[in-house]
Amino acid sequence: MLTHARRILVALAATATIAVASAQEMDAPRGGTVQIPLATQPATFNPILPSELAAAIINWTMFSPLTAVNPWTNTLEPYLAHSWEANDAITEWTFHLVEGVTWHDGEPLTAHDVKFTFDRIRDPAEGATTLSDMAGVTEVEVIDDLTVRVHLEEPDAFFADRLALGGNEIIPEHVLGEYELLADATEFNTAAPIGSGPFRMVRAEPGSFFELTANEDFFLGTPFLDGLVFRVVPDGNTRVTQLMTGQLDWADLEAPQLNAVRNNPNVEVTTFDSLGYQLFALNFQNPLFQDPQVVKAITHALDRESMRQTVAGDLGYVDDVFVPAGLEWIPRPDVEYRAYDPELALEMLADAGWTPGDDGILVNEDGERFEFYILVDRGDVQREQLGLIIQQYLEDIGMDVEYILAERGGRWLEETQAQTFDSRLAAFPLPNIDWAQRLYTTDGPFNSQSYSNARVDDLFRQVLGTIDQDEQARLLVEIGEELYDDPPNIVLLYRDRMTASRADVGNIPPNNIKDSMPFSHLLFRR
């Protein structure tokens, strides 16, 4: 049975290769640059090291993954690997590399670089963001210069998918192999990275801008653009203003900003299903949130439909499930939406031991006040507004809630990585189901809220142990029901997302900027 499935994997890979080649052969003008904003200074130009959104955006133009998610179709496609296959047990994945790929300095990229990259990710001393992605890897074997085989301790049906989701891009052994730790490569990490992607760094002005030029030897074809310029613009409204004046060419857009660009003839808006959501993450290390009934009560205290209408411009939808409707192969669990009901919220909190004190703030039998803070990343207009609204709803039911607006690259990121926040607002995409595994398993790399549910962990292990999509769907429904009963966070709204671009920039994908960057070689200037 798995032999047949393995043939399907190879066939899909071959089909996708043809699609990418056809796109590159289109007739489009060459030349010009496109200017793109970053909300913060990138933390590092090494894609393996811990970073954030700004670093991911720029690094995906300079480094290449083995597999990539096509931003037009949201399907997995080949990139550095033109094909791959798994063994019958799904414990060995073999990747076949595109021939003739070179690094920006002209050296050949080989399977030895893939092994070097994966081995460095596997080393806990490196602190790689995707360490957990490689946790089950027992060996990375170089078969020949263009073939690498990854051996796994347990079956993993999503291993190839996971390589496409960021943090597993291949880095050069001939440049970085001399360093005991990747963090020691200061020049590479801060100013002069060497990748294999469509663009390469030529000038870095930290905190200001980063100038990239086209990699004429890029293995998927010379980019249409001469280069990209990434500018650090922390404020979301400033980014929109600069887009309208031509200082920027392409920016992610939030619903409150739509009216500002809607009637501008020089700007085009692209709307798409984000396959992701805005979430209110509670830190389960905090005793306040360790009772699932409290989390459910907080959910009932929030009028999320009203929030969607006002803050999201009546776009998107609300639901209490953790898989987007756009992943149609996964049925929705048969669960009831937790509607706005502040009286029910208070009853549930009272049942959990929280009743109003003398000053109206909820207290428990030990006299502990229900007080905490919400950490919001500055520059995301929608989350800034959501945080203030949530603060008011929760204060209305007797919680003492502080709203803290912090720089994304500063306190917000630091507390997220250290898992020390009380609560925070964030957004997560789910372009494939492996993102849910990253978010909601005990050891998931993006489980910053310290959520742990042994049954969820076990069910995800079963999902990873089969390539039968019907069986995966059945298991994922069970996971959805368990997550509903023991919520890992609060889904505020599933977002329709928007980007805005100058009208003379072509080939803008219906996707966010970060996930579009592996295909930035297809952008052109009319």
Side-chain angles (χ1 to χ4, degrees), residues 30-90:
R30 294 189 176 273
T33 61
V34 166
Q35 303 192 75
I36 299 170
L38 304 174
T40 62
Q41 163 71 25
T44 177
F45 295 132
N46 188 319
I48 304 308
L49 296 178
S51 61
E52 34 48 67
L53 179 61
I57 289 173
I58 192 169
N59 286 341
W60 264 5
T61 70
M62 298 189 293
F63 295 89
S64 304
L66 291 185
T67 64
V69 174
N70 184 309
W72 284 273
T73 64
N74 286 309
T75 56
L76 189 69
E77 293 191 354
Y79 209 84
L80 276 177
H82 64 75
S83 62
W84 55 87
E85 67 266 8
N87 68 347
D88 290 350
I90 330 179

Side-chain angles (χ1 to χ4, degrees), residues 208-502:
S208 182
F209 69 90
F210 305 91
E211 182 182 349
L212 280 64
T213 191
N215 174 13
E216 295 182 355
D217 297 320
F218 182 52
F219 63 94
L220 290 177
T222 302
F224 293 118
L225 293 173
D226 291 333
L228 299 171
V229 177
F230 293 92
R231 299 193 179 278
V232 179
V233 186
D235 182 71
N237 291 325
T238 301
R239 294 194 287 270
V240 171
T241 299
Q242 292 187 359
L243 178 73
M244 292 191 292
T245 59
Q247 296 168 273
L248 294 173
D249 295 307
W250 185 19
D252 288 324
L253 199 67
E254 298 295 342
Q257 301 166 324
L258 182 59
N259 287 336
V261 300
R262 193 191 302 270
N263 297 317
N264 189 315
N266 298 315
V267 174
E268 292 183 352
V269 175
T270 302
T271 302
F272 53 94
D273 182 348
S274 71
L275 294 180
Y277 44 79
Q278 294 278 24
L279 62 86
F280 182 26
L282 309 172
N283 191 336
F284 294 105
Q285 296 185 58
N286 188 326
L288 290 175
F289 307 123
Q290 290 173 357
D291 184 345
Q293 290 301 107
V294 170
V295 181
K296 296 172 186 176
I298 292 175
T299 306
H300 282 296
L302 305 177
D303 190 346
R304 291 173 291 160
E305 177 59 28
S306 175
M307 294 161 71
R308 183 192 68 82
Q309 294 173 12
T310 56
V311 175
D314 208 20
L315 299 172
Y317 64 97
V318 294
D319 204 348
D320 278 314
V321 296
F322 297 89
V323 173
L327 295 179
E328 297 178 354
W329 63 277
I330 305 171
R332 183 186 183 279
D334 185 16
V335 297
E336 183 179 351
Y337 173 67
R338 293 189 173 105
Y340 176 54
D341 191 338
E343 292 184 1
L344 176 59
L346 286 169
E347 291 175 11
M348 295 174 70
L349 288 166
D351 290 342
W354 294 96
T355 55
D358 293 339
D359 61 356
I361 300 299
L362 296 172
V363 295
N364 62 16
E365 60 183 11
D366 297 324
E368 179 185 8
R369 291 162 57 90
F370 206 118
E371 56 184 359
F372 66 98
Y373 63 85
I374 303 173
L375 193 61
V376 182
D377 53 327
R378 186 189 304 276
D380 187 294
V381 177
Q382 190 174 89
R383 283 197 290 278
E384 288 181 9
Q385 294 183 4
L386 286 170
L388 290 170
I389 296 170
I390 292 170
Q391 179 190 35
Q392 186 60 60
Y393 278 130
L394 298 184
E395 288 184 344
D396 287 346
I397 63 167
M399 295 181 180
D400 185 356
V401 182
E402 182 182 5
Y403 173 92
I404 297 177
L405 190 62
E407 296 301 327
R408 185 178 180 91
R411 179 177 175 179
W412 186 91
L413 181 62
E414 291 166 2
E415 292 198 25
T416 295
Q417 293 178 338
Q419 299 177 285
T420 55
F421 59 89
D422 279 352
S423 71
R424 71 178 185 124
L425 295 189
F428 272 104
L430 281 110
N432 79 27
I433 200 58
D434 184 60
W435 270 88
Q437 184 265 150
R438 289 179 168 208
L439 282 167
Y440 301 133
T441 56
T442 300
D443 296 325
F446 298 145
N447 180 12
S448 60
Q449 67 269 25
S450 301
Y451 177 77
S452 183
N453 181 312
R455 183 162 183 262
V456 170
D457 291 347
D458 180 64
L459 286 167
F460 268 117
R461 278 192 290 271
Q462 293 181 54
V463 171
L464 296 176
T466 177
I467 59 171
D468 183 329
Q469 194 171 84
D470 290 338
E471 177 64 8
Q472 288 177 348
R474 185 190 68 76
L475 291 165
L476 288 163
V477 170
E478 285 192 45
I479 290 172
E481 292 169 349
E482 185 66 26
L483 293 176
Y484 180 82
D485 291 335
D486 181 22
N489 58 43
I490 297 170
V491 176
L492 297 175
L493 59 93
Y494 277 93
R495 302 193 293 177
D496 281 352
R497 292 298 307 275
M498 294 163 284
T499 62
S501 58
R502 299 293 294 182

